[in-house]
Amino acid sequence: MLEMLRLSDKFKFLCHKNIECFNRCCYDLNLFLTPYDIIRLKNRLKLTSTEFLKKYTTWHVGFKTGLPVVVLKMRDDLTCPFVADKGCLVYKDRPSSCRLYPLARIKLRDEEYYYIVREEHCKGFDEDKEWTVEDWLEDQEVNEYNRMNDLFMELISSKHKSGKRLNDEEIQLVYMACFDVDQFRGFVKENELLNKLDVEIDIQDDVELMRFGINWLRFKIFGDAKI
Ligand code: SF4
Ligand code: SF4
């Protein structure tokens, strides 16, 4: 049974370079990437989203959501492609789930809960540093990621409400507009979407374009948002 934590609840944990399990958690992961994770990583690596997705990810249609799920590809030795002896090479732009660990988040309507993910190899729980959930989120700079990831959660929620099963073309649209923001930019220009929908955004801004893309999908496919 999971123990649900609220923002003011406390837990003990510390991760640091001298701990015996250093880097052990960056191995053999099933690491899902959110649209915002991809924007941060591809900009950090100075790649387009299309290049990033091709080089570092695979994707499939989620069994539960019926929507595209993007997963970080591990190296042949099953280590994360961004781990090195000195630690995470993309630390400042590491994905949401790496930031949150050892917590995981559940968002139910306007309520959010956290729970502790205890991995046997992780010695961080034996350290004597106490955090509130709120302090941890701030320390790991998770809040901005949560806000951005909630936009994607809204798309999932629209899909659930509609009960609609997407066809292949719709799945490809969702993949592009959510995860491949640079390709979506070309699509928006080519189809003059902003003019047609009378929307004003800075199309060069990845985050604004991601927001527009998710909202547009909710509007176009599920009829569940206004443009
Ligand atoms: S296993 Fe836990 S304590 Fe060890 S490096 Fe990873 S997060 Fe830190
Ligand atoms: S992105 Fe960084 S923190 Fe996350 S698994 Fe890879 S190396 Fe570890």
Side-chain angles (χ1 to χ4, degrees):
M1 179 81 179
L2 292 175
E3 187 196 351
M4 292 298 178
L5 302 177
R6 299 299 203 115
L7 291 177
S8 58
D9 288 331
K10 295 180 177 160
F11 65 100
K12 276 192 177 176
F13 187 78
L14 191 63
C15 176
H16 55 88
K17 286 197 168 155
N18 297 321
I19 201 159
E20 66 172 272
C21 54
F22 188 58
N23 278 349
R24 215 173 293 165
C25 48
C26 304
Y27 174 81
D28 198 10
L29 296 171
N30 197 16
L31 206 163
F32 301 129
L33 297 176
T34 67
Y36 186 62
D37 287 337
I38 291 171
I39 288 176
R40 292 285 294 252
L41 285 169
K42 66 108 180 170
N43 286 337
R44 163 108 195 175
L45 298 164
K46 298 192 172 24
L47 296 173
T48 65
S49 52
T50 312
E51 290 165 340
F52 174 83
L53 288 164
K54 188 163 180 231
K55 185 165 181 188
Y56 290 111
T57 69
T58 59
W59 74 279
H60 60 272
V61 177
F63 177 69
K64 277 194 187 156
T65 62
L67 292 172
V69 175
V70 174
V71 183
L72 189 66
K73 262 194 282 195
M74 297 290 116
R75 294 180 183 124
D76 290 346
D77 65 359
L78 298 186
T79 54
C80 171
F82 306 126
V83 73
D85 288 347
K86 62 182 180 184
C88 177
L89 298 172
V90 292
Y91 189 77
K92 279 193 168 11
D93 297 289
R94 66 200 185 286
S96 322
S97 50
C98 304
R99 282 168 194 273
L100 258 180
Y101 185 82
L103 300 180
R105 176 177 185 246
I106 298 178
K107 176 108 194 290
L108 294 172
R109 294 180 195 90
D110 291 334
E111 302 269 354
E112 64 178 356
Y113 302 92
Y114 292 84
Y115 60 93
I116 292 187
V117 180
R118 249 174 227 282
E119 304 275 11
E120 236 170 72
H121 59 254
C122 179
K123 304 291 179 204
F125 297 101
D126 303 337
E127 302 277 313
D128 204 23
K129 167 83 180 154
E130 192 170 64
W131 304 86
T132 62
V133 171
E134 190 171 19
D135 288 344
W136 180 257
L137 300 183
E138 200 165 309
D139 186 77
Q140 299 295 307
E141 298 177 10
V142 183
N143 292 318
E144 188 185 357
Y145 279 73
N146 281 349
R147 275 200 305 278
M148 294 294 155
N149 295 343
D150 285 348
L151 298 172
F152 188 60
M153 295 301 292
E154 284 171 16
L155 179 68
I156 296 175
S157 160
S158 295
K159 160 91 172 48
H160 282 324
K161 273 193 273 173
S162 75
K164 184 174 168 169
R165 196 185 157 92
L166 303 194
N167 61 35
D168 289 351
E169 192 186 332
E170 289 167 330
I171 297 262
Q172 289 294 338
L173 271 186
V174 173
Y175 177 76
M176 174 179 63
C178 290
F179 300 106
D180 196 347
V181 73
D182 292 308
Q183 195 189 345
F184 184 54
R185 182 174 290 111
F187 176 90
V188 169
K189 285 182 187 165
E190 201 177 302
N191 292 283
E192 297 180 17
L193 269 192
L194 298 181
N195 278 344
K196 283 182 189 159
L197 296 168
D198 198 18
V199 170
E200 273 186 39
I201 57 161
D202 176 0
I203 197 170
Q204 295 311 324
D205 183 317
D206 289 339
V207 173
E208 270 196 51
L209 190 56
M210 178 198 81
R211 273 181 195 280
F212 166 74
I214 291 175
N215 210 36
W216 174 71
L217 290 169
R218 292 178 62 206
F219 164 78
K220 179 176 167 64
I221 300 182
F222 305 114
D224 190 33
K226 290 200 174 99
I227 291 279

